[in-house]
Amino acid sequence: GASGGAMAARIPTLAVALAAAAGWWALAGRGFVGQPAARRPSRTAMAVEQITTGTGKKLPVYGERDPLPKGFGIRTGLSDLLKPLNSEYGVTAKKDSVATYVVLLFGIVMLFLFYTLLLLINNQSVLLPPEDEFDEYVANFLPYFFFGEK
């Protein structure tokens, strides 16, 4: 009986040791992060072409740009892809119409009223119906609001 208990205690220890060895082996090799990038075959390489923006300005070919001045950010492939989206920087509409300000003011007022409603519900100044009656309340809201109780 005594040797059976010792054997049972060794099995989890052996499993933990094997798991630790497998983890060490997986992490000890050359990871994919430290390896240099593999060259792509020419058939999967990106197509390189000159891009003309909406303003008629020609952008440099993808991947070719003068280096940024010191302290002006990191240049990445993503920045080259997004550069055309920023080609009309500083261009604005000539003059905003009255309708623009009406819509803006309406949106601000409605947002204020919505936040006020949320605050009143949170403070329980406005009471919502119990959860099991909520669907019926929503279905009957407009008739009750316009025509009152029957």
Side-chain angles (χ1 to χ4, degrees):
S3 64
M7 184 66 180
R10 266 192 226 135
I11 292 176
T13 308
L14 183 63
V16 169
L18 282 174
W24 177 83
W25 178 77
L27 296 174
R30 267 188 66 173
F32 67 93
V33 175
Q35 294 177 349
R39 296 296 306 162
R40 290 183 178 186
S42 61
R43 61 188 175 86
T44 59
M46 293 185 84
V48 176
E49 60 186 69
Q50 188 77 22
I51 299 172
T52 306
T53 65
T55 57
K57 221 166 44 171
K58 289 218 184 272
L59 288 176
V61 176
Y62 174 77
E64 295 177 12
R65 188 170 75 186
D66 293 335
L68 289 172
K70 189 166 179 60
F72 276 85
I74 299 169
R75 183 163 166 252
T76 63
L78 182 62
S79 69
D80 290 336
L81 288 173
L82 295 177
K83 180 88 170 142
L85 298 177
N86 197 28
S87 62
E88 297 185 25
Y89 169 76
V91 177
T92 59
K94 306 253 184 311
K95 186 174 185 306
D96 286 336
S97 65
V98 175
T100 306
Y101 291 109
V102 170
V103 169
L104 184 67
L105 186 66
F106 177 76
I108 291 171
V109 169
M110 294 309 288
L111 188 65
F112 174 77
L113 291 175
F114 175 69
Y115 284 155
T116 305
L117 177 66
L118 290 182
L119 182 68
L120 292 174
I121 291 171
N122 189 44
N123 287 338
Q124 294 184 350
S125 303
V126 172
L127 295 176
L128 294 177
E131 195 174 342
D132 53 337
E133 300 172 17
F134 194 77
D135 292 337
E136 184 184 343
Y137 173 79
V138 171
N140 295 329
F141 178 78
L142 289 178
Y144 179 77
F145 183 77
F146 287 118
F147 308 116
E149 292 190 60
K150 292 176 183 152

